[in-house]
Amino acid sequence: MKFLVLIFYSLFFSIILNAQYEVGDNGASVSIQINDIDSKNEIVSYNSSRRLIPASLTKIITTSAALQLLGPDYTYKTKFTCKGNIIKGRLNGNLIIDAGGDPTLGSKYFDTTNPDSLFHHILLWLHENRIREISGKVIIRSSAINYSSPRLWEDIGNYYGAYPHEFNWRDNTVNVTLSSSETGSVCNIISLEPSIEPYKLECRVVSANHNKDSAYVYGLPEMDEWWIEGSIPSNRSAFKIKAAMPDPQMTFIKELTQYLEINDIKIGKETITIHSSEDNRATYIFESPKLSEIIKVVNHKSNNLFADMILLTLAKEFCNQYSWDLGVQVVKDFWNDRIDFKNNFRIKDGSGLTPKNLITTRGMVELLSWMKDNSEYFDVFKASLAIGGESGTLKSVFKHNDLKNRVFGKSGSMEGVLGYCGYFIGKQGNYNAFCYIANNYIIETKLVRKQMDSTLTQLILDH
């Protein structure tokens, strides 16, 4: 009898203990793992072997592997070459640009890469070589990246799903301004910045009685006509949304040509054939910010384009071609030698945009612990993470006063998915790794976020 009572109470307290990690939706799948890295002790483990969709927590896997394999000082290089003979200020040839996979060209995230800065440096370089006219045209040489990516069709036309190319420009994003009138009426496109001509963008968006952006863009790079569906608030004279850029290479050439002509450098319209005897080259190398700075944007801002370009860069550097599968294989090969990657991770991209990715919280904690214990670049990696209650994707959580400067990590979310992972510093100054994921919930995400924040906050305060 006493034995049965003990079993009953054991099961009862187990149910009570586990219930604290649920998120307010009985149909949801929830998993959590917390380890004290210094003592190797397990603090919490609940469903930690269950494979769940990680969303943007995937970026932690990509950026940590890239940091180890490429080093924090790795940079992308884009080469500008005046190919032809320069005579009396005239380049009898073409301005050739060799793409290098740089995702930061024209990006809003860096002062050194924004369009004005980059164009100014190109102009200075042409002036240094006394070039006032280019008889040929601007030509970009780049390798194709296979469009059969794991991304969903409905994501690719939107700015957050902007497709990575070997030549990227302005975060591969277009700013679209719409106007709306009475509820139920079709909206109008007022402007596109920058222009995407000759591509066309049709507006099928309707005005609605709400205050949110529910407009979504559809299109692929090989399609000439794109469209926007969904709704925006009614009676707005200028409502801004973002779309993916259909052809960053074409857009860059148009913008650079216009900039140079405004600054009195004429550009031709026909490709000039150059003979080797006439080929006197002047070259300018544009170098991106360091990888340490790029991954800070990836993990603070959850930038999908940068993350996936890093994955494709790993394929290019180690397998000599841009390939999603080869990039994934490079990441797998790196982690397989260090943690139990095979049983805890299924990775299909570098950003987490695809719902085909699966991870366990146990595996993520193992990865985070390895970085803390073994990486010579741990301080760089930690600096790339958001600070709880203060910055990045953790700005709205872990805001308790006693958690100030104690939580570093990343969030990940998509429809029915929310997760957090990273490190927290314990009461004794010890480092702990955590990962907490909820999948398949149908209640409002803000309610799930509130519950997960409350649970993690209490666990951190207790330890």
Side-chain angles (χ1 to χ4, degrees), residues 253-299:
I253 291 174
K254 287 166 58 178
E255 288 194 61
L256 176 61
T257 299
Q258 183 180 29
Y259 177 88
L260 293 178
E261 289 181 344
I262 289 173
N263 286 278
D264 299 321
I265 294 182
K266 297 179 180 179
I267 307 289
K269 296 182 179 180
E270 300 296 331
T271 303
I272 303 296
T273 301
I274 305 300
H275 301 291
S276 58
S277 60
E278 302 173 330
D279 193 0
N280 299 321
R281 302 187 180 193
T283 300
Y284 166 62
I285 304 292
F286 182 83
E287 201 164 358
S288 75
K290 294 179 179 180
L291 182 65
S292 58
E293 293 302 310
I294 295 174
I295 68 169
K296 188 179 292 186
V297 173
V298 172
N299 290 333

Side-chain angles (χ1 to χ4, degrees), residues 406 424-430 432 460-463:
R406 287 181 57 192
F424 70 84
I425 300 174
K427 293 178 180 179
Q428 307 304 317
N430 55 308
N432 303 271
I460 295 168
L461 291 172
D462 290 344
H463 294 88

Side-chain angles (χ1 to χ4, degrees), residues 176-216:
V176 183
T177 303
L178 304 174
S179 67
S180 62
S181 54
E182 67 274 8
T183 299
S185 62
V186 178
C187 302
N188 296 311
I189 297 174
I190 297 177
S191 65
L192 299 176
E193 178 59 37
S195 169
I196 61 171
E197 291 182 353
Y199 289 85
K200 296 180 180 178
L201 183 62
E202 178 188 356
C203 185
R204 304 176 186 174
V205 179
V206 297
S207 305
N209 187 25
H210 60 61
N211 289 309
K212 59 184 179 179
D213 174 3
S214 292
Y216 298 92

